[in-house]
Amino acid sequence: MPRKIKVAAAQVGRVDTDADRKDTLARLIALLEQAGQQGVNLVVFPEIALTTFFPRMVGLDDDMVNNPEKLDMWYEKGPIVENPNVKPLFDKATELGIDVHIGYAELTEDGKHYNTCSYVKAGKELAKYRKVRCTKTHLPGFSEPFANPESENHLEKRYFLPGDTGFQAFRVPGPATDEEHGEPIMGMMICNDRRWPESWRNYGLQGAEIVMVGYNTPFFQPEALGHGPDEDPEVRKKIVEGHHLLCMQAHTHTNATFSISSARCGYDNGVSGMIGSSTIIHPEGHIIAISKTWDDELVVAEIDLDECKRLQEKTFNFGKHRRIEHYQRLATQTGVVKPPRVA
Ligand code: CDT
């Protein structure tokens, strides 16, 4: 029996440092209303969707980078579903009967800062994920700004603690629930996580049927990423978009799940170019729908979760085909250890 659900990536374009939060929220609500008109059940908003992508250095003044009081304006405090900065979005979603995945900077009651996303249904938070890739080794970005103020950096290590939630899949009551499968199984990750097979396999091993990913991905960062400063930005843009699609398509397929990826994109403050290419991807690995702009845009598709089944039962039947006796290195070794040289 088909298990159909209509999903959308709500891509969000340029948001400047001085953007009025109410205006930004109104843009998100407009996307939600479009989704309502198209009968969408689930909308996925990007990573840090409510403000500019403040961890970037370019376009932020020194005070913003170094003054903790000024910095806290970017974070959401208290339970997200009651937070006045975002509650009107959840209220509208409840009115339209739409579930929402949204990324934001979180400040906990005990003063911890995380890069977080939540899954909210009818005003209730069903699940929360805090980005783990802000660790001292794998982090996207750095803790200290580069000396060159023109050099684009992402200071996630400075602004967020490594997440403490891990990759916990969860069930979502609603469409596509049936006797045989129960409620759909979903998982969340944030941006850089999508480049790591480990994040995906965590969800694959829990039988995830939809993986949601919000992202802010800059395409031209010679100093941060070590590519040539003289490289043609147009070429680099294609390479970085290619990495995004490669990672999304390959990992979606090898974990026999659908995925939805949603970009915060465009040139914040006119300087910080971040890619679009928000996608909805099939378990077979092909792109079902993709954004065409680097602006606010809703990418919609109806998907049938039953289409995960063939791969889950055959090619990627983990219980049958995984050989964990050969995978010990994956969980016991962090960095590269090369084999001894022959001579
Ligand atoms: N937001 C995020 O995780 N961005 C990273 C790039 C950071 S560049 C140092 C990404 O993987 O897209």
Side-chain angles (χ1 to χ4, degrees):
M1 283 288 286
R3 297 164 64 222
K4 293 200 173 155
I5 172 169
K6 207 165 197 184
V7 298
Q11 176 176 287
V12 179
R14 173 175 175 168
V15 180
D16 285 355
T17 319
D18 61 359
D20 186 323
R21 269 175 169 275
K22 285 204 178 73
D23 293 343
T24 309
L25 192 67
R27 287 166 59 185
L28 305 192
I29 291 174
L31 287 163
L32 198 62
E33 282 169 339
Q34 278 182 42
Q37 284 154 14
Q38 296 183 53
V40 168
N41 307 110
L42 162 61
V43 173
V44 176
F45 288 101
E47 172 190 30
I48 317 246
L50 302 168
T51 64
T52 192
F53 189 62
F54 69 91
R56 74 191 150 79
M57 196 177 106
V58 175
L60 296 183
D61 59 43
D62 258 12
D63 197 30
M64 199 86 80
V65 174
N66 293 310
N67 179 345
E69 275 166 35
K70 207 163 175 184
L71 260 176
D72 278 356
M73 68 187 251
W74 303 112
Y75 296 83
E76 308 310 322
K77 298 152 201 95
I80 193 67
V81 289
E82 287 159 28
N83 186 311
N85 288 334
V86 59
K87 191 168 182 309
L89 178 83
F90 297 137
D91 289 346
K92 177 56 75 178
T94 303
E95 181 193 318
L96 296 171
I98 296 175
D99 293 3
V100 165
H101 158 113
I102 188 160
Y104 55 94
E106 179 190 13
L107 176 52
T108 64
E109 274 167 31
D110 57 350
K112 293 184 173 137
H113 299 81
Y114 293 108
N115 187 343
T116 300
C117 57
S118 293
Y119 190 103
V120 176
K121 183 183 191 68
K124 283 209 183 84
E125 187 186 42
L126 295 195
K128 185 196 291 294
Y129 166 71
R130 292 176 174 144
K131 189 179 189 182
V132 298
R133 295 288 172 207
C134 304
T135 65
K136 53 188 184 310
T137 46
H138 291 156
L139 137 118
F142 301 82
S143 334
E144 292 303 323
F146 292 131
N148 174 6
E150 299 302 315
S151 183
E152 180 165 330
N153 194 351
H154 276 211
L155 298 177
E156 288 199 51
K157 276 181 183 158
R158 187 182 188 91
Y159 298 137
F160 301 115
L161 288 170
D164 57 357
T165 53
F167 298 99
Q168 188 54 55
F170 54 99
R171 296 268 190 178
V172 179
T177 300
D178 70 12
E179 267 303 302
E180 184 189 348
H181 305 86
E183 303 85 1
I185 303 173
M186 305 203 190
M188 304 190 282
M189 56 179 83
I190 302 180
C191 195
N192 194 257
D193 293 326
R194 75 195 187 288
R195 306 188 191 278
W196 299 82
E198 297 89 340
S199 325
W200 291 87
R201 191 59 103 219
N202 260 288
Y203 287 130
L205 286 170
Q206 297 173 80
E209 296 169 302
I210 301 180
V211 172
M212 295 161 279
V213 191
Y215 59 98
N216 283 263
T217 293
F219 70 86
F220 197 75
Q221 291 187 288
E223 197 163 348
L225 299 180
H227 62 79
D230 300 329
E231 192 169 359
D232 178 350
E234 286 306 310
V235 172
R236 185 50 35 197
K237 189 198 290 180
K238 286 203 170 59
I239 291 171
V240 172
E241 279 178 330
H243 293 162
H244 161 65
L245 296 178
L246 267 177
C247 290
M248 289 304 304
Q249 291 181 252
H251 296 315
T252 297
H253 172 56
T254 57
N255 290 284
T257 179
F258 283 90
S259 70
I260 307 166
S261 72
S262 183
R264 244 312 332 284
C265 56
Y267 292 80
D268 288 11
N269 289 29
V271 288
S272 183
M274 298 189 292
I275 63 164
S277 297
S278 302
T279 59
I280 299 170
I281 295 176
H282 190 275
E284 297 283 0
H286 57 269
I287 296 169
I288 305 169
I290 184 164
S291 59
K292 296 180 180 63
T293 69
W294 278 23
D295 215 329
D296 296 4
E297 183 179 341
L298 196 72
V299 179
V300 180
E302 186 173 61
I303 58 177
D304 177 0
L305 300 189
D306 205 40
E307 290 169 12
C308 298
K309 200 164 146 184
R310 191 188 65 76
L311 287 160
Q312 284 178 346
E313 289 178 352
K314 301 283 182 194
T315 316
F316 299 115
N317 183 331
F318 296 141
K320 208 164 165 188
H321 302 308
R322 289 182 86 236
R323 289 290 167 263
I324 57 172
E325 65 274 26
H326 299 300
Y327 308 156
Q328 299 308 313
R329 189 177 284 115
L330 301 184
T332 54
Q333 181 181 316
T334 309
V336 173
V337 179
K338 296 182 181 175
R341 295 172 72 138
V342 176

